[in-house]
Amino acid sequence: MIPTDKLARVTAAMPFWLTYILPPLVWVGAVQGGLWVLLPPLATWYLFSALDAALGLNEQNADPQTEERHLLWYRAGVILWAPVQFVTLLSLVWYVPGADHLNGWETFGVMFGTGVMTGSVGIVYAHELLHQRNRLDLWLVKSDKPAQGFYEI
């Protein structure tokens, strides 16, 4: 069991904040084109796994009775994902059709990377929010359309 004082530290939640490198990586692919469009899938599927292998997995669980105030950094990371994903998705939908430097494969790659980001992170974070009882968390799940579609299947 992870002690509450350790759980409340920002350093304990930092591995979960690594997911926030994905929106900039999708944008690097959209702006640069070429092989840069491979960054989001490679980071999601291989970088995170390599970091787990190199740094080790934390297989301990938090005490289910831990008060919410001790989970600030975990909750913030999960709650902020919905607006970050929404803005990233909308801005890419606006940008990519007018990006004349992207050929068909690069456009596919950017959208594929965006799908990997929303699917790999958005669905997991939406699932975590579904476990909560407060209205903000449930509203965020309902507003996260890519993840919501998954849960309606």
Side-chain angles (χ1 to χ4, degrees):
M1 196 81 47
I2 302 173
T4 302
D5 63 323
K6 184 177 179 185
L7 198 61
R9 295 182 201 149
V10 68
T11 54
M14 288 311 291
F16 297 96
W17 285 82
L18 280 176
T19 57
Y20 283 88
I21 69 167
L22 293 176
L25 290 181
V26 171
W27 269 103
V28 167
V31 171
Q32 297 296 321
L35 293 177
W36 293 100
V37 302
L38 299 175
L39 284 176
L42 291 175
T44 303
W45 295 334
Y46 300 107
L47 174 65
F48 297 155
S49 296
L51 286 171
D52 282 342
L55 302 174
L57 295 174
N58 181 354
E59 296 181 356
Q60 292 181 312
N61 289 320
D63 181 356
Q65 302 304 316
T66 302
E67 295 177 33
E68 245 183 61
R69 65 186 175 93
H70 296 295
L71 301 173
L72 171 72
W73 296 110
Y74 291 95
R75 284 189 43 74
V78 172
I79 288 172
L80 290 175
W81 182 259
V84 167
Q85 177 178 281
F86 180 76
V87 168
T88 303
L89 212 54
L90 279 183
S91 59
L92 284 165
V93 167
W94 168 80
Y95 177 80
V96 170
D100 296 332
H101 65 285
L102 295 175
N103 64 31
W105 287 108
E106 291 167 323
T107 299
F108 174 80
V110 171
M111 291 297 114
F112 181 78
T114 304
V116 167
M117 176 189 72
T118 60
S120 297
V121 180
I123 290 172
V124 172
Y125 283 6
H127 174 86
E128 290 306 314
L129 290 171
L130 280 172
H131 291 293
Q132 306 305 313
R133 290 190 172 89
N134 70 56
R135 289 184 179 183
L136 171 64
D137 294 354
L138 296 175
W139 178 83
L140 285 170
V141 173
K142 290 179 181 181
S143 68
D144 186 357
K145 291 303 177 188
Q148 184 183 19
F150 175 80
Y151 283 109
E152 290 178 354
I153 293 176

